[in-house]
Amino acid sequence: MASGNAIRGSRVGAGPMGEAERGESAPRTRISFWCANGHETQPSFAGDAQVPDTWDCQRCGFPAGKDRDSPPDPPRTEPYKTHLAYVRERRSDADGEAILAEALAKLRGEI
């Protein structure tokens, strides 16, 4: 006696899949890109697609170029800056002293 499952023993998408059912695949081109660490990435592009000059490396994330001997430079990462570091870029010590003196005078009721 059947359990009522008409597609027993198969899964969704099972069956003969090939060129006849999917159609012909588009022509593809594989291009090699190299990063500064020497990693090679080979993405495939459609035959008529415009290939970019750089591509992100799949292993390290650095930008990769088509020229193996001179890959693009890795991006410069700036260290984390605190709020105080940003304030010191905008204001000199003299400006800070003047602002502090004004704020203290306002608190003391002099202004």
Side-chain angles (χ1 to χ4, degrees), residues 28-69:
R28 314 287 286 159
T29 304
R30 292 186 72 85
I31 306 290
S32 293
F33 291 90
W34 287 273
C35 71
N37 290 333
H39 303 141
E40 181 182 10
T41 303
Q42 288 186 328
S44 61
F45 298 94
D48 59 349
Q50 183 178 1
V51 179
D53 293 331
T54 60
W55 192 262
D56 289 339
C57 178
Q58 293 175 341
R59 291 179 64 189
C60 63
F62 286 173
K66 295 182 216 175
D67 187 8
R68 182 180 206 159
D69 297 328

Side-chain angles (χ1 to χ4, degrees), residues 63-109:
K66 295 182 216 175
D67 187 8
R68 182 180 206 159
D69 297 328
S70 62
D73 294 329
R76 252 188 77 215
T77 55
E78 304 243 349
Y80 174 77
K81 288 186 184 178
T82 63
H83 176 70
L84 183 59
Y86 283 110
V87 170
R88 285 187 175 162
E89 283 181 0
R90 293 191 316 263
R91 309 247 189 234
S92 67
D93 288 339
D95 291 340
E97 291 292 331
I99 292 170
L100 179 62
E102 181 182 337
L104 288 174
K106 190 182 279 186
L107 283 173
R108 292 180 184 139

Side-chain angles (χ1 to χ4, degrees), residues 1-6 8:
M1 185 168 145
S3 67
N5 191 349
R8 184 178 176 148

